[in-house]
Amino acid sequence: MKVAGHFPWPFLTLVLVGGKCISLIERLQNELSPQLSGDNLISATAPLRWSDFDAPDPGAVVNVATESDVAVTVKYCVAQDIPFLAQNGGNGWATTFHLNKNGVVINLAGLNTVIFNADRTQATIGGGSNVSNTINNAYDAGALVLTGNCNCVGTLGAILGGGYGNLMGEYSFGVDNVLSLRVVTADGQLHDVSATSDPDLFWALRGAGPNLGIVTSATVRSYPASEEDMQGWAGDLVYSEDQLEDVVQAIQDLTLTPDMVIFLYFLADPTTGTPSVIASPFLHRGNATTGKAAYSSLYAVGPIADTTTVLPYNQWNNASTSLCTRGSFKPGWAAGFQNMIPSTWRGIWEAYVAFQKLPGAANSGVLLEAYSLNKARSIDSSSSAFPNRNVNFNAFAIPWYNDSSLDAKAAAFGNTARDLLRSTSGLPRNQTYVNFGHGDEELEVVYGDSLTRLRSIKRQYDPKNVFNQWFNIQ
Ligand SMILES: Cc1cc2nc3c(=O)[nH]c(=O)nc-3n(C[C@H](O)[C@H](O)[C@H](O)COP(=O)(O)OP(=O)(O)OC[C@H]3O[C@@H](n4cnc5c(N)ncnc54)[C@H](O)[C@@H]3O)c2cc1C
């Protein structure tokens, strides 16, 4: 006979099995491990997360090595009523996670293969492959794949919410490049999901993936690349604070061609800790001459430093390495909007510098990104659950600190930035890219018009709502 009950121990949840108290790890070792592909796949800790703010705090971790490990783990957890959460890149910062010592993290990092077909027009990416691993494999294969722009991000973690990246001006969002997915759903079964097989699930996974299952791999379009295709011109243009309005206006005035991307950062100078205004252009196949011409409006403002250079595909994300630093508290507040308005950005700057100067908060930042959207908008917006095709710009504030006594001030900074963006967004209602959401948004804000259909598909595929940790659709 098995009687289960939770004991209020501070760090360990014990369950009563056959009259004996055992930890969740021991229980998994006894009951789940024999069903897994290897003997030592259960551990106490998951790989470090990007942010420790409101982060999942599991009692045990299953380090899956095969897709059938995912299936048996989901089946087991559902049958035993054990909460669980897939972890891929571990970059999700939303406060919607609520996994504690009673729960299990399914660490997907072992599912990291990236396999190209013979003509390099398709890549099958493992559910645990991060951006760095995906790009390195693509680079070696001589192909380009749509990924996020930071190496530490889970490739599919980003794509399942939409998937913004340097190449989307040419190839559209990550969701638009997905051809099929292998998915473990709430019944513990593996499904091959595509436009012709499980079309509803295919639609829903591309925008709300973490609510419907665990994707063990996805086959996406890839683009065979010449030596020239593998080059990009990128770097930082640094400005003084008093040039902010001119920089914002220059970004507003840019016409982004498909090969162009522009980022704006408020970040501390790494050596002095001084808050800086940094515009970061990217031009696919660009060089110093074509780059300066494409971004002439930003050069006209007169940057005080310029680190732009030509980089090969496998180094495009190098500049964002410091953004990938693990740990610390990094809650994010984000909004989508239509126009760059200098007065809005002056207000955000003031909120940023006020927080950034607090002890231990120097690494805090504000990030804006804008892509050419013509290609993405040529694709029917009802073809996937991703609802953000209409949004021109996305930005977020990231208070970055270690001392929870700063929580209230961090929230004040984040809310001020988000309120400023929302109040001047030019959108009929608030919209936030789900993968940038803070976690307190109404579901309509992150799922938009897709929400009604998503609710119906969620009821069909996850009637007990076991995938409930990420902007949970109810
Ligand atoms: C430094 C940084 C840079 C970023 N850059 C970009 C960018 O360039 N483009 C962009 O679009 N977004 C970007 N993001 C946002 C990013 O898309 C989200 O943070 C995303 O949730 C991260 O996925 P992950 O796998 O790294 O995180 P995780 O925390 O592991 O996953 C986030 C959620 O997705 C679920 N999930 C992850 N993988 C799977 C899977 N295979 N199957 C089912 N569910 C899964 C998890 O269970 C969790 O609920 C960035 C975030 C950070 C912190």
Side-chain angles (χ1 to χ4, degrees):
M1 179 180 127
K2 178 158 56 174
V3 185
H6 297 304
F7 292 75
W9 285 58
F11 302 112
L12 209 56
T13 299
L14 300 180
V15 247
L16 201 56
V17 180
K20 227 177 106 190
C21 278
I22 62 168
S23 71
L24 182 58
I25 294 191
E26 286 175 296
R27 189 177 164 201
L28 262 54
Q29 269 157 351
N30 293 344
E31 298 173 359
L32 176 63
S33 186
Q35 303 175 55
L36 298 173
S37 64
D39 290 335
N40 299 307
L41 299 179
I42 292 166
S43 64
T45 50
L48 295 177
R49 296 191 62 83
W50 183 71
S51 171
D52 292 336
F53 187 86
D54 265 6
D57 184 23
V61 178
V62 181
N63 301 288
V64 293
T66 64
E67 58 182 13
S68 92
D69 286 345
V70 179
V72 295
T73 304
V74 168
K75 203 172 213 167
Y76 172 81
C77 288
V78 171
Q80 300 297 321
D81 210 11
I82 297 172
F84 65 92
L85 169 72
Q87 180 169 322
N88 181 353
N91 282 57
W93 68 61
T95 57
T96 59
F97 294 125
H98 49 89
L99 197 80
N100 59 28
K101 293 291 180 200
N102 300 329
V104 168
V105 154
I106 301 177
N107 172 20
L108 300 176
L111 305 181
N112 64 353
T113 55
V114 181
I115 297 166
F116 288 81
N117 68 351
D119 64 5
R120 296 171 287 148
T121 55
Q122 295 181 12
T124 298
I125 301 172
S129 174
N130 67 16
V131 166
S132 162
N133 181 59
T134 301
I135 289 181
N136 285 335
N137 277 278
Y139 185 73
D140 291 345
L144 299 169
V145 176
L146 199 291
T147 67
N149 302 328
C150 280
N151 281 334
C152 52
V153 171
T155 309
L156 300 187
I159 287 179
L160 293 175
Y164 286 83
N166 280 328
L167 294 168
M168 59 164 283
E170 289 160 272
Y171 305 133
S172 194
F173 288 103
V175 285
D176 298 326
N177 284 280
V178 175
L179 298 168
S180 62
L181 306 115
R182 299 264 298 164
V183 187
V184 175
T185 47
D187 54 5
Q189 300 299 315
L190 256 168
H191 300 250
D192 277 307
V193 180
S194 68
T196 50
S197 156
D198 278 329
D200 279 348
L201 193 53
F202 184 63
W203 176 85
L205 283 165
R206 292 172 304 128
N211 269 269
L212 280 314
I214 298 180
V215 178
T216 57
S217 68
T219 298
V220 303
R221 286 193 188 88
S222 72
Y223 302 90
S226 67
E227 200 44 49
E228 193 198 356
D229 294 332
M230 292 275 185
Q231 307 298 319
W233 172 87
D236 291 341
L237 304 178
V238 184
Y239 298 89
S240 61
E241 182 222 318
D242 58 333
Q243 293 173 300
L244 174 62
E245 280 79 1
D246 291 341
V247 172
V248 170
Q249 192 59 49
I251 292 175
Q252 171 66 22
D253 294 343
L254 274 176
T255 301
L256 294 174
T257 52
D259 46 2
M260 290 169 73
V261 185
I262 185 70
F263 305 91
L264 175 67
Y265 301 114
F266 296 165
L267 285 176
D269 180 304
T271 45
T272 63
T274 315
S276 309
V277 176
I278 302 165
S280 196
F282 172 83
L283 182 65
H284 189 198
R285 305 180 198 87
N287 57 42
T289 308
T290 56
K292 282 179 180 160
Y295 292 93
S296 57
S297 62
L298 277 162
Y299 275 94
V301 178
I304 53 180
D306 177 353
T307 68
T308 53
T309 187
V310 174
L311 293 166
Y313 177 39
N314 59 350
Q315 293 179 33
W316 291 353
N317 293 345
N318 282 6
S320 55
T321 302
S322 61
L323 287 177
C324 278
T325 306
R326 308 270 104 182
S328 298
F329 300 134
K330 305 185 197 109
W333 279 263
F337 56 100
Q338 299 304 61
N339 291 296
M340 291 292 284
I341 299 172
S343 56
T344 297
W345 283 86
R346 176 56 63 183
I348 295 171
W349 172 264
E350 282 164 7
Y352 158 69
V353 291
F355 184 77
Q356 192 267 356
K357 70 179 183 205
L358 297 173
N363 289 335
S364 302
V366 177
L367 290 87
L368 157 99
E369 51 184 43
Y371 300 87
S372 163
L373 290 159
N374 290 346
K375 172 73 181 174
R377 288 176 181 163
S378 72
I379 293 168
D380 182 359
S381 61
S382 66
S383 60
S384 71
F386 174 71
N388 257 27
R389 234 169 264 272
N390 62 314
V391 169
N392 292 346
F393 298 93
N394 292 287
F396 52 88
I398 298 278
W400 180 325
Y401 58 105
N402 294 303
D403 180 350
S404 57
S405 69
L406 294 187
D407 282 352
K409 286 184 170 143
F413 160 41
N415 278 305
T416 301
R418 187 173 68 179
D419 288 349
L420 281 163
L421 293 171
R422 283 180 169 176
S423 63
T424 56
S425 74
L427 291 164
R429 63 177 184 214
N430 293 332
Q431 279 185 256
T432 296
Y433 174 35
V434 64
N435 282 355
F436 289 170
H438 177 71
D440 60 348
E441 292 85 354
E442 300 285 319
L443 289 181
E444 287 78 4
V445 172
V446 291
Y447 295 120
D449 290 339
S450 297
L451 186 58
T452 306
R453 187 173 171 201
L454 280 171
R455 283 190 166 124
S456 142
I457 295 170
K458 172 81 173 172
R459 278 194 294 274
Q460 186 188 343
Y461 285 93
D462 184 14
K464 291 187 186 156
N465 193 22
V466 297
F467 294 103
N468 57 29
Q469 304 264 335
W470 189 249
F471 296 90
N472 188 209
I473 295 165
Q474 302 194 63

